[in-house]
Amino acid sequence: MAAVDGGEVDHLAGERATAHFDVDAMKVAWAGSRHAVEVNDRMARLVASDPVFRKDTRTMLSRKELFKDTLKKAAHAWKRIVELRLTEEEANLLRLYVDQPGYVDLHWGMFVPAIKGQGTEEQQKKWVPMAYKFQIIGCYAQTELGHGSNVQGLETTATFDPNTDEFVVHSPTLTSSKWWPGGLGKASTHAVVYARLITQGKDYGIHGFIVQLRSLDDHSPLPGITLGDIGGKFGSGAYNSMDNGVLRFDHVRIPRDQMLMRLSQVTREGKYVHSDVPKQLLYGTMVYVRQTIVADASKALSRAVCIAVRYSAIRKQFGSQAGGPETQVLNYKTQQSRLFPLLASAYAYRFVGEWLKWLYTDVMQKLEAKDYSTLPEAHACTAGLKSVTTSATADAIEECRKLCGGHGYLNSSGLPELFAVYVPACTYEGDNVVLLLQVARFLMKTVSQLASGKQPVGTTAYMGNIQYLMQCKSAVNTAGDWLNPAAIKEVFEARALRMAVNCAQNISKAPSQEEGFSELSPDLLESAVAHVQLIIVTKFFEKLQQDIIGHGVKEQLQNLCNIYALFLLHKHLGDFLSTGCITPKQGALANEQLGRLYAQVRPNAVALVDAFDYTDHYLSSVLGRYDGDVYPALYAEAWKDPLNETVIPDGYQEHLRPLLKQQLKFSRL
Ligand SMILES: CCC/C=C/C(=O)SCCNC(=O)CCNC(=O)[C@H](O)C(C)(C)COP(=O)([O-])OP(=O)([O-])OC[C@H]1O[C@@H](n2cnc3c(N)ncnc32)[C@H](O)[C@@H]1OP(=O)([O-])[O-]
Ligand SMILES: Cc1cc2nc3c(=O)[nH]c(=O)nc-3n(C[C@H](O)[C@H](O)[C@H](O)COP(=O)(O)OP(=O)(O)OC[C@H]3O[C@@H](n4cnc5c(N)ncnc54)[C@H](O)[C@@H]3O)c2cc1C
């Protein structure tokens, strides 16, 4: 069933009729299973039909009103989850479709996972049930005013006092104030706080602690704790529904058993004991969240693309013949070459996100069995994919706004708010540049191990084919040759490997490894991007090897996969040419093939975005309406603006009338 909640006439019916594939089957391919389509659809409709979850006036609310509205929606969502006895899967989807950032995101997304990942069984038994019942609300307080990216540089201290069997949590400087945690400012009662553990006079570095912040009776901050919101953020509405907070501790005492002790412990006597596990597991919550952010990228991107494709099919400009209709802007080749790669990217990110979720689960199972061998790859993949997909998605949302012309700039298009909510994803959970440098570090290590004969595995397995990939030449001779997955994979692998090897060689010429890495860091970023793009392309091809059912679905996905890969090749032509992977002629042939693929997507474009199965409520865009009835909706929406509540604006008497009636004249006139 299509996600219609618009009007009765389908202005896009003609577009839908030209599709060459079964849209319902594509919905299954997109969502992952028929069950996923069903539960997504049910939760989206549940939210769309509930007046409490309306969001059409959100951008007109003041910050205080918006925050209160967020509290109301979160409480109502919880009430519905309990009343309807929703499963965890259903509850997560319901919250997703409520579509308003708030403290619950951090409670479920970071606080609970941090306790589950870093707490002992006993600690989990104590805290998780309280969190699950919302008897406590938690957030993740890591970042400080002075340090975010450099986690090892955090300044908050937790000093063990053996006399009382407590930790004393303290903010020694202004820059050690916790700054940014979502849900901290106004809502949370508890936090997982990251602080330097000091015991027996020694600093053991960063560890996690559960700290109660507010009274469970009247919500006031506990003694020694200063709390507040850090202030308004980018865009109207948008992320301002979230109470990102500031927190300072003045020698706050917590029991010893509130240190998260799964990875390391402090004994009653104050002895520090580190279990036999890699210390990087402390960063496990970030790895978990980065993996979810990749899935979110495909959601945000597909939303923006859905709006831009539908509107581009409705919008007409120029080209009228003898008074006939003008041309749909979607028919312009320039519109297609800007929009269809984004459509292809939405699908690419969806499938790589699916794969990353599998990888994460696999790594977790291995960790349970004390096999830590795949941890570095899991870190590189989550960091790299988080970085590449969020940066591209943020750019793509802005591109979709431009693709919608002037109307895209209106809040009612849904795009400005989507951009403002989305764009911090490039920064939170690790600044994208910082994370790409982590990928580069992993790549340099892998390259250096090649010389010792160590065979790389997983996503770096291709590097083992170094003899061939360093000298191979693409055999592409015609534009059609670029439709061969092996031809595409070969040049992407060769490009990624050659860029990594070039960096490694240049680093080795520097006085020290560290200096070389620093000097070469801009090149290293590009090398990391090339490696991550190879992963995305490869996972899309692997998806196509799976059993994909439904008339025409596989063919459409093949087209999108080829578009994604060839668009990247076109965009990064400089890399492919300078590393000698392809010739300029082969680059031109790739571009020629790209144009042909766009023509094949054109009749399917609207159906391909219908397959995302978004309700009009979730899209919240007059331009992206399912029924395409854009103009009456745009017109009606304008009148809802508070500025139109009166015909004569407030301020007329004080500021406009005197101006218009002024007697004073400039002497020159
Ligand atoms: C809804 C939005 C909510 C938002 C919430 C937030 O933003 S919350 C706040 C989010 N905040 C952020 O995201 C902050 C971002 N900053 C960070 O994550 C860290 O400070 C860092 C990774 C940049 C550096 O860390 P460092 O100085 O400790 O390390 P180093 O570089 O010296 O490397 C040492 C070794 O550790 C390895 N390794 C590193 N990480 C991981 C990992 N996760 N797993 C496994 N391994 C990892 C690394 O590969 C290296 O291995 P090698 O080569 O020795 O074998
Ligand atoms: C909306 C939002 C929500 C957030 N929620 C939370 C939360 O719930 N909990 C929490 O603890 N934190 C949260 N954060 C904080 C977030 O995790 C940090 O802002 C993020 O990790 C980036 O760190 P930073 O602010 O220190 O940036 P900085 O590191 O100061 O970045 C500034 C610039 O320096 C560059 N840079 C930094 N280091 C290097 C390097 N080594 N090499 C080259 N360039 C470098 C960066 O690329 C960037 O251009 C949130 C942030 C935002 C914006």
Side-chain angles (χ1 to χ4, degrees):
M1 192 172 19
V4 196
D5 47 352
E8 285 177 4
V9 181
D10 184 357
H11 295 261
L12 290 167
E15 290 289 335
R16 294 187 167 113
T18 59
H20 300 148
F21 68 97
D22 176 348
V23 179
D24 282 338
M26 185 64 89
K27 283 181 186 172
V28 176
W30 169 262
S33 66
R34 195 157 287 288
H35 163 79
V37 175
E38 184 278 321
V39 66
N40 264 287
D41 198 50
R42 198 156 36 83
M43 289 305 113
R45 284 169 184 277
L46 186 68
V47 172
S49 61
D50 192 326
V52 177
F53 296 133
R54 280 187 65 167
K55 50 184 179 163
D56 46 348
T57 55
R58 186 161 65 187
T59 54
M60 298 165 200
L61 300 180
S62 70
R63 177 91 201 280
K64 274 177 142 179
E65 289 167 334
L66 180 64
F67 183 68
K68 196 168 171 192
D69 180 65
T70 311
L71 296 184
K72 182 170 93 175
K73 283 180 177 156
H76 186 65
W78 180 243
K79 185 166 161 268
R80 298 302 285 148
I81 288 166
V82 173
E83 281 169 357
L84 299 170
R85 296 169 167 269
L86 298 187
T87 62
E88 200 162 337
E89 180 195 20
E90 290 168 331
N92 287 339
L93 285 169
L94 181 130
R95 280 191 287 270
L96 172 99
Y97 289 116
V98 169
D99 185 37
Q100 192 149 310
Y103 69 88
V104 283
D105 302 344
L106 280 301
H107 177 80
W108 294 113
M110 295 205 79
F111 180 70
V112 172
I115 296 174
K116 281 185 172 175
Q118 286 155 45
T120 59
E121 271 181 35
E122 211 174 304
Q123 289 175 317
Q124 292 183 46
K125 266 194 203 136
K126 177 176 173 185
W127 295 99
V128 174
M130 285 194 277
Y132 264 70
K133 290 183 214 146
F134 261 131
Q135 290 165 340
I136 59 174
I137 297 172
C139 66
Y140 185 89
Q142 181 176 294
T143 307
E144 296 174 355
L145 190 55
H147 285 108
S149 293
N150 180 10
V151 177
Q152 294 303 325
L154 297 178
E155 296 176 78
T156 305
T157 50
T159 309
F160 184 62
D161 178 354
N163 298 321
T164 59
D165 198 22
E166 290 170 316
F167 283 102
V168 182
V169 185
H170 186 58
S171 313
T173 58
L174 178 70
T175 47
S176 69
S177 310
K178 292 294 172 190
W179 190 272
W180 269 119
L184 169 68
K186 296 289 163 188
S188 293
T189 61
H190 288 68
V192 168
V193 171
Y194 287 83
R196 317 196 73 80
L197 189 163
I198 298 166
T199 182
Q200 297 180 333
K202 189 167 169 200
D203 182 338
Y204 287 92
I206 304 304
H207 290 74
F209 301 83
I210 300 175
V211 184
Q212 182 170 353
L213 307 173
R214 291 183 165 95
S215 154
L216 291 175
D217 294 325
D218 63 4
H219 209 60
S220 55
L222 294 186
I225 287 180
T226 305
L227 278 167
D229 184 276
I230 59 170
K233 291 158 295 225
F234 188 85
S236 47
Y239 217 84
N240 286 300
S241 54
M242 182 71 86
D243 51 329
N244 293 96
V246 43
L247 161 65
R248 284 179 68 76
F249 299 102
D250 182 4
H251 299 95
V252 172
R253 288 180 169 267
I254 58 166
R256 179 172 55 95
D257 68 5
Q258 285 181 210
M259 167 185 167
L260 291 172
M261 292 217 202
R262 188 172 182 176
L263 310 178
S264 38
Q265 303 85 38
V266 169
T267 65
R268 175 66 190 89
E269 296 72 38
K271 186 166 177 270
Y272 180 79
V273 184
H274 184 68
S275 320
D276 188 17
V277 296
K279 65 177 180 12
Q280 287 85 0
L281 287 181
L282 177 75
Y283 296 160
T285 313
M286 290 188 281
V287 174
Y288 162 75
V289 181
R290 284 172 197 154
Q291 166 253 146
T292 65
I293 287 177
V294 176
D296 292 346
S298 71
K299 275 265 174 210
L301 178 51
S302 55
R303 238 170 118 167
V305 166
C306 184
I307 295 168
V309 166
R310 286 184 182 161
Y311 177 65
S312 296
I314 294 293
R315 185 68 167 176
K316 298 191 176 91
Q317 294 285 349
F318 302 103
S320 166
Q321 302 289 330
E326 293 177 288
T327 306
Q328 291 166 285
V329 296
L330 193 53
N331 287 340
Y332 289 113
K333 298 290 176 193
T334 47
Q335 192 85 352
Q336 293 174 11
S337 67
R338 292 160 69 201
L339 189 46
F340 293 166
L342 308 184
L343 174 63
S345 303
Y347 277 90
Y349 297 171
R350 170 78 193 108
F351 299 139
V352 81
E354 211 173 61
W355 168 78
L356 192 62
K357 191 172 167 192
W358 168 84
L359 179 86
Y360 180 79
T361 312
D362 185 59
V363 171
M364 286 302 117
Q365 280 165 359
K366 291 195 168 105
L367 292 184
E368 285 295 324
K370 301 211 176 314
D371 171 2
Y372 306 113
S373 58
T374 48
L375 194 58
E377 199 201 4
H379 169 48
C381 286
T382 46
L385 285 166
K386 183 271 180 191
S387 184
V388 167
T389 59
T390 56
S391 291
T393 297
D395 291 349
I397 298 170
E398 168 61 1
E399 185 65 7
C400 285
R401 181 190 71 72
K402 291 185 229 160
L403 282 158
C404 292
H407 301 333
Y409 192 61
L410 281 170
N411 280 341
S412 61
S413 77
L415 292 166
E417 201 187 17
L418 184 58
F419 181 72
V421 168
Y422 191 75
V423 80
C426 299
T427 305
Y428 59 55
E429 279 314 329
D431 168 83
N432 281 353
V433 167
V434 171
L435 292 188
L436 281 175
L437 290 174
Q438 289 285 312
V439 179
R441 179 180 166 129
F442 170 72
L443 292 178
M444 292 305 99
K445 210 167 168 178
T446 310
V447 170
S448 72
Q449 286 168 348
L450 290 175
S452 63
K454 189 176 171 199
Q455 272 306 306
V457 291
T459 49
T460 51
Y462 70 97
M463 292 185 162
N465 200 10
I466 186 164
Q467 303 298 347
Y468 175 75
L469 289 175
M470 287 305 286
Q471 45 75 33
C472 64
K473 301 248 177 276
S474 171
V476 164
N477 221 354
T478 66
D481 289 348
W482 278 119
L483 297 179
N484 177 3
I488 293 180
K489 259 188 92 183
E490 182 190 73
V491 295
F492 272 77
E493 287 181 352
R495 166 205 181 209
L497 182 64
R498 292 177 197 188
M499 289 173 80
V501 168
N502 284 348
C503 285
Q505 284 170 346
N506 289 334
I507 288 175
S508 69
K509 292 177 199 151
S512 72
Q513 177 84 1
E514 213 170 291
E515 274 178 78
F517 195 91
S518 163
E519 203 54 42
L520 264 283
S521 53
D523 297 350
L524 284 161
L525 284 189
E526 288 172 15
S527 164
V529 167
H531 171 73
V532 176
Q533 288 175 343
L534 166 65
I535 297 177
I536 304 175
V537 168
T538 307
K539 297 304 157 193
F540 207 152
F541 281 132
E542 285 176 9
K543 175 76 189 177
L544 294 173
Q545 304 299 314
Q546 292 173 13
D547 198 15
I548 295 172
I549 49 161
H551 167 67
V553 171
K554 194 165 189 166
E555 290 72 15
Q556 293 303 318
L557 292 178
Q558 258 157 355
N559 282 347
L560 292 171
C561 179
N562 288 328
I563 287 180
Y564 180 69
L566 296 182
F567 159 74
L568 288 181
L569 192 150
H570 182 62
K571 185 172 169 196
H572 298 279
L573 196 55
D575 287 356
F576 288 94
L577 291 176
S578 66
T579 49
C581 297
I582 63 169
T583 61
K585 169 135 190 281
Q586 288 168 328
L589 290 172
N591 205 27
E592 190 183 324
Q593 185 54 49
L594 208 43
R596 291 184 196 164
L597 289 165
Y598 293 153
Q600 289 178 40
V601 166
R602 169 63 190 91
N604 297 291
V606 168
L608 282 167
V609 301
D610 284 349
F612 301 146
D613 208 12
Y614 293 145
T615 59
D616 282 350
H617 174 274
Y618 183 57
L619 281 183
S620 50
S621 165
V622 290
L623 305 186
R625 290 168 64 94
Y626 181 84
D627 63 10
D629 202 10
V630 166
Y631 293 117
L634 261 171
Y635 192 79
E637 206 57 37
W639 296 106
K640 292 185 192 158
D641 195 278
L643 215 52
N644 285 329
E645 278 167 10
T646 57
V647 179
I648 311 293
D650 287 353
Y652 167 74
Q653 291 297 348
E654 305 97 291
H655 307 299
L656 267 187
R657 192 181 154 80
L659 192 74
L660 294 167
K661 299 280 176 205
Q662 65 188 320
Q663 298 303 316
L664 286 172
K665 296 280 180 225
F666 281 115
S667 54
R668 274 192 285 127
L669 300 175

XYZ file of all heavy atoms in Angstrom, residues 220-278:
454
model
N 15.189 18.967 40.877
C 16.203 20.016 41.061
C 17.606 19.380 41.057
O 17.768 18.226 41.464
C 15.962 20.777 42.363
O 15.930 19.854 43.417
N 18.618 20.153 40.596
C 19.976 19.589 40.566
C 20.429 19.191 41.970
O 20.120 19.894 42.949
C 20.827 20.744 40.034
C 19.864 21.648 39.337
C 18.560 21.510 40.061
N 21.164 18.086 42.086
C 21.647 17.645 43.394
C 22.782 18.570 43.851
O 23.380 19.283 43.030
C 22.133 16.204 43.289
C 21.043 15.169 42.986
C 21.610 13.751 43.057
C 19.860 15.286 43.934
N 23.076 18.567 45.160
C 24.135 19.453 45.661
C 25.455 19.252 44.918
O 25.816 18.123 44.583
C 24.284 19.023 47.133
C 22.986 18.363 47.469
C 22.436 17.770 46.207
N 26.109 20.362 44.644
C 27.417 20.319 43.976
C 27.315 20.243 42.462
O 28.331 20.195 41.761
N 26.094 20.238 41.958
C 25.929 20.086 40.506
C 25.307 21.346 39.898
O 24.276 21.829 40.377
C 25.053 18.849 40.194
C 25.892 17.595 40.464
C 24.531 18.866 38.767
C 25.219 16.298 40.224
N 25.959 21.897 38.894
C 25.420 23.045 38.155
C 25.032 22.572 36.769
O 25.834 21.926 36.078
C 26.504 24.149 38.017
O 26.977 24.460 39.325
C 25.957 25.389 37.340
N 23.810 22.885 36.373
C 23.275 22.356 35.113
C 22.544 23.418 34.325
O 21.914 24.295 34.913
C 22.223 21.288 35.427
C 22.664 19.881 35.747
C 21.498 19.113 36.328
C 23.173 19.181 34.509
N 22.583 23.332 33.020
C 21.788 24.246 32.194
C 21.863 23.855 30.732
O 22.582 22.914 30.360
N 21.105 24.595 29.928
C 21.111 24.366 28.476
C 22.205 25.254 27.866
O 22.457 26.356 28.358
C 19.735 24.745 27.917
C 19.607 24.450 26.434
O 20.039 25.299 25.621
O 19.077 23.378 26.106
N 22.847 24.795 26.773
C 23.947 25.611 26.222
C 23.485 26.673 25.219
O 24.292 27.425 24.689
C 25.072 24.756 25.575
C 24.525 23.888 24.434
C 25.800 23.941 26.613
C 25.624 23.226 23.616
N 22.175 26.729 24.940
C 21.701 27.827 24.091
C 21.219 27.378 22.721
O 21.407 26.229 22.323
N 20.609 28.342 22.031
C 19.980 28.062 20.733
C 20.988 27.606 19.688
O 22.149 27.998 19.701
N 20.498 26.771 18.783
C 21.368 26.217 17.740
C 20.832 26.557 16.354
O 19.712 27.009 16.203
C 21.458 24.692 17.928
C 22.222 24.284 19.174
C 21.868 22.894 19.652
C 20.450 22.802 20.096
N 20.194 22.115 21.320
N 21.624 26.281 15.367
C 21.391 26.504 13.945
C 19.957 26.163 13.500
O 19.482 25.061 13.731
C 22.391 25.599 13.229
C 22.501 25.754 11.752
C 23.328 26.713 11.221
C 21.808 24.919 10.895
C 23.471 26.833 9.843
C 21.945 25.033 9.525
C 22.768 25.996 8.995
N 19.286 27.115 12.839
C 17.997 26.816 12.209
C 16.821 26.993 13.144
O 16.968 26.923 14.362
N 15.638 27.234 12.540
C 14.450 27.371 13.393
C 13.824 25.998 13.557
O 13.832 25.185 12.640
C 13.459 28.342 12.763
O 13.271 28.050 11.410
N 13.260 25.759 14.745
C 12.774 24.400 15.033
C 13.996 23.525 15.150
O 14.871 23.728 15.995
N 14.069 22.560 14.236
C 15.244 21.727 14.067
C 15.777 21.167 15.381
O 15.016 20.721 16.225
C 16.321 22.504 13.319
N 17.101 21.220 15.566
C 17.726 20.581 16.724
C 17.491 21.358 18.015
O 17.937 20.970 19.083
C 19.225 20.386 16.448
C 19.748 19.093 17.013
C 19.622 17.899 16.312
C 20.350 19.041 18.265
C 20.081 16.702 16.842
C 20.809 17.856 18.803
C 20.671 16.687 18.083
O 21.123 15.501 18.612
N 16.781 22.480 17.919
C 16.512 23.263 19.129
C 15.505 22.601 20.055
O 15.288 23.049 21.179
C 16.060 24.662 18.746
C 17.235 25.461 18.257
O 18.199 25.663 18.992
N 17.209 25.868 16.993
N 14.906 21.511 19.585
C 14.042 20.730 20.467
C 14.881 19.967 21.495
O 14.357 19.484 22.488
C 13.213 19.744 19.641
O 14.073 18.966 18.825
N 16.157 19.866 21.227
C 17.064 19.115 22.115
C 17.697 20.051 23.137
O 18.149 21.144 22.790
C 18.168 18.467 21.275
C 19.138 17.618 22.064
S 18.399 16.108 22.651
C 18.641 15.057 21.227
N 17.760 19.582 24.392
C 18.390 20.379 25.453
C 19.848 19.947 25.622
O 20.207 19.317 26.613
C 17.613 20.227 26.768
C 17.378 18.777 27.151
O 17.260 17.928 26.244
O 17.314 18.474 28.362
N 20.676 20.314 24.652
C 22.112 20.055 24.827
C 22.580 20.870 26.028
O 22.246 22.047 26.140
C 22.871 20.454 23.565
C 22.509 19.563 22.390
O 21.653 19.919 21.589
N 23.111 18.407 22.309
N 23.347 20.228 26.890
C 23.552 20.875 28.184
C 24.984 21.128 28.612
O 25.940 20.661 27.991
N 25.071 21.922 29.692
C 26.342 22.177 30.373
C 26.205 21.621 31.790
O 25.146 21.706 32.409
C 26.700 23.689 30.381
C 25.527 24.569 30.707
C 27.863 23.987 31.327
N 27.337 21.071 32.291
C 27.309 20.425 33.612
C 28.653 20.634 34.289
O 29.709 20.386 33.686
C 27.055 18.919 33.396
C 27.399 17.946 34.502
C 26.514 18.184 35.737
C 27.198 16.497 34.005
N 28.562 21.113 35.547
C 29.792 21.237 36.332
C 29.629 20.499 37.663
O 28.547 20.513 38.252
C 30.113 22.716 36.609
C 30.692 23.425 35.397
C 30.980 24.881 35.681
N 32.069 25.062 36.646
C 33.355 24.918 36.370
N 33.719 24.588 35.146
N 34.283 25.113 37.271
N 30.726 19.881 38.109
C 30.708 19.153 39.375
C 31.595 19.881 40.380
O 32.733 20.246 40.040
C 31.297 17.744 39.203
C 30.539 16.875 38.238
C 31.019 16.666 36.951
C 29.358 16.250 38.631
C 30.338 15.854 36.072
C 28.671 15.432 37.744
C 29.167 15.233 36.471
N 31.070 20.023 41.583
C 31.898 20.565 42.664
C 32.032 19.470 43.737
O 31.194 19.349 44.628
C 31.227 21.827 43.242
C 32.071 22.462 44.339
O 33.189 21.962 44.590
O 31.585 23.431 44.959
N 33.046 18.623 43.561
C 33.333 17.540 44.510
C 32.077 16.733 44.842
O 31.659 16.649 46.002
C 33.974 18.118 45.785
C 35.270 18.816 45.496
N 35.353 20.171 45.289
C 36.525 18.329 45.333
C 36.610 20.508 45.027
N 37.337 19.403 45.039
N 31.481 16.178 43.815
C 30.261 15.380 43.984
C 30.635 13.933 44.281
O 31.437 13.331 43.554
C 29.394 15.459 42.695
C 28.220 14.497 42.773
C 28.907 16.886 42.487
N 30.054 13.381 45.329
C 30.424 12.024 45.750
C 29.438 10.994 45.192
O 28.220 11.195 45.266
C 30.455 11.945 47.283
C 31.639 12.692 47.838
C 31.761 12.668 49.343
N 33.088 13.192 49.682
C 34.165 12.427 49.862
N 34.078 11.110 49.773
N 35.337 12.976 50.156
N 30.006 9.921 44.641
C 29.162 8.812 44.172
C 29.746 7.510 44.708
O 30.963 7.410 44.903
C 29.078 8.739 42.623
C 30.478 8.594 41.995
C 28.349 9.936 42.038
C 30.471 8.185 40.526
N 28.897 6.501 44.960
C 29.435 5.229 45.461
C 30.394 4.591 44.455
O 30.237 4.785 43.246
C 28.185 4.348 45.621
C 27.013 5.235 45.491
C 27.440 6.489 44.807
N 31.347 3.835 44.974
C 32.348 3.193 44.093
C 31.677 2.335 43.021
O 32.148 2.283 41.881
C 33.299 2.340 44.953
C 34.357 1.600 44.159
C 35.373 0.936 45.077
N 34.715 0.057 46.034
C 34.541 -1.248 45.879
N 35.012 -1.853 44.808
N 33.921 -1.975 46.797
N 30.562 1.678 43.378
C 29.965 0.760 42.398
C 29.226 1.487 41.271
O 28.567 0.868 40.459
C 29.070 -0.274 43.083
C 27.819 0.331 43.683
O 27.584 1.535 43.490
O 27.064 -0.411 44.343
N 29.363 2.811 41.213
C 28.806 3.523 40.059
C 29.857 3.813 38.981
O 29.561 4.456 37.985
C 28.059 4.779 40.507
C 26.730 4.375 41.127
C 25.853 5.494 41.613
O 25.109 5.303 42.554
N 25.938 6.672 41.011
N 31.060 3.304 39.225
C 32.019 3.283 38.108
C 31.613 2.088 37.236
O 31.335 1.005 37.748
C 33.440 3.057 38.638
C 34.421 2.706 37.543
S 36.051 2.310 38.246
C 36.855 1.579 36.839
N 31.549 2.294 35.912
C 31.206 1.178 35.017
C 32.400 0.230 34.983
O 33.485 0.602 34.516
C 30.851 1.705 33.630
C 29.526 2.485 33.569
C 29.341 3.150 32.221
C 28.337 1.590 33.897
N 32.205 -0.989 35.504
C 33.366 -1.818 35.838
C 33.533 -3.064 34.986
O 34.208 -3.989 35.391
C 33.298 -2.218 37.310
C 33.481 -1.056 38.255
S 34.396 -1.518 39.694
C 33.915 -0.255 40.866
N 32.939 -3.088 33.809
C 33.102 -4.302 33.014
C 34.533 -4.466 32.492
O 35.066 -5.557 32.435
C 32.142 -4.259 31.832
C 32.111 -5.551 31.062
C 31.017 -5.495 30.036
N 30.885 -6.714 29.292
C 29.947 -6.904 28.397
N 29.067 -5.956 28.155
N 29.866 -8.025 27.740
N 35.142 -3.347 32.116
C 36.473 -3.418 31.503
C 37.587 -3.279 32.527
O 38.654 -3.877 32.379
C 36.639 -2.333 30.437
C 35.523 -2.225 29.394
C 35.792 -1.084 28.431
C 35.424 -3.533 28.619
N 37.374 -2.463 33.559
C 38.384 -2.304 34.602
C 37.669 -1.970 35.906
O 36.535 -1.470 35.883
C 39.399 -1.224 34.238
O 38.770 -0.164 33.593
N 38.347 -2.255 36.994
C 37.707 -2.085 38.298
C 38.627 -1.347 39.260
O 39.839 -1.333 39.077
C 37.383 -3.452 38.948
C 36.510 -4.385 38.115
C 37.317 -5.204 37.113
O 38.429 -5.631 37.420
N 36.774 -5.392 35.911
N 38.006 -0.770 40.303
C 38.765 -0.251 41.440
C 38.270 -1.034 42.652
O 37.061 -1.113 42.899
C 38.534 1.265 41.614
C 39.106 1.755 42.945
C 39.183 2.029 40.456
N 39.216 -1.662 43.381
C 38.814 -2.507 44.520
C 38.472 -1.631 45.728
O 38.740 -0.421 45.725
C 39.955 -3.454 44.937
O 41.032 -2.634 45.424
C 40.437 -4.286 43.752
N 37.937 -2.261 46.741
C 37.569 -1.541 47.976
C 38.778 -0.783 48.541
O 38.660 0.298 49.105
C 37.025 -2.553 49.016
C 36.721 -1.964 50.389
C 35.569 -0.973 50.289
N 35.382 -0.204 51.508
C 35.979 0.957 51.794
N 36.888 1.467 50.952
N 35.722 1.603 52.901
N 39.972 -1.364 48.325
C 41.199 -0.729 48.850
C 41.704 0.374 47.930
O 42.634 1.104 48.276
C 42.323 -1.771 49.013
C 42.070 -2.863 50.031
C 41.010 -3.858 49.562
O 40.991 -4.186 48.356
O 40.192 -4.269 50.391
N 41.131 0.446 46.743
C 41.571 1.500 45.825
C 42.558 1.022 44.787
O 43.178 1.824 44.080
N 42.691 -0.287 44.661
C 43.628 -0.822 43.665
C 42.937 -0.833 42.295
O 41.782 -1.244 42.174
C 44.028 -2.234 44.076
C 45.093 -2.840 43.220
C 45.666 -4.097 43.921
C 46.683 -4.756 43.036
N 46.186 -5.723 42.153
N 43.666 -0.364 41.286
C 43.111 -0.353 39.920
C 43.424 -1.684 39.246
O 44.569 -2.129 39.228
C 43.741 0.796 39.117
C 43.221 0.880 37.693
C 41.980 1.454 37.426
C 43.962 0.374 36.631
C 41.499 1.538 36.124
C 43.482 0.450 35.319
C 42.250 1.026 35.079
O 41.768 1.099 33.799
N 42.398 -2.328 38.695
C 42.596 -3.616 38.023
C 42.016 -3.506 36.619
O 40.840 -3.156 36.467
C 41.836 -4.754 38.769
C 42.117 -6.109 38.121
C 42.169 -4.754 40.238
N 42.857 -3.765 35.621
C 42.345 -3.707 34.238
C 42.185 -5.123 33.702
O 43.114 -5.913 33.744
C 43.290 -2.898 33.333
C 42.741 -2.738 31.949
N 41.629 -1.984 31.684
C 43.124 -3.279 30.770
C 41.353 -2.044 30.390
N 42.245 -2.827 29.815
N 40.982 -5.433 33.214
C 40.746 -6.775 32.669
C 41.600 -6.956 31.419
O 42.092 -5.993 30.845
C 39.290 -6.961 32.279
O 38.463 -6.366 33.215
N 41.652 -8.198 30.995
C 42.512 -8.530 29.866
C 41.792 -8.240 28.543
O 41.621 -9.113 27.708
C 42.846 -10.032 29.994
C 43.891 -10.433 28.992
O 44.565 -9.539 28.459
O 44.005 -11.647 28.729
N 41.343 -6.997 28.359
C 40.629 -6.649 27.121
C 41.222 -5.354 26.573
O 41.769 -4.548 27.335
C 39.108 -6.420 27.375
C 38.435 -7.688 27.847
C 38.878 -5.290 28.363
N 41.122 -5.123 25.248
C 41.680 -3.877 24.703
C 41.013 -2.663 25.345
O 39.786 -2.664 25.536
C 41.336 -3.949 23.214
C 40.963 -5.366 22.945
C 40.488 -5.953 24.223
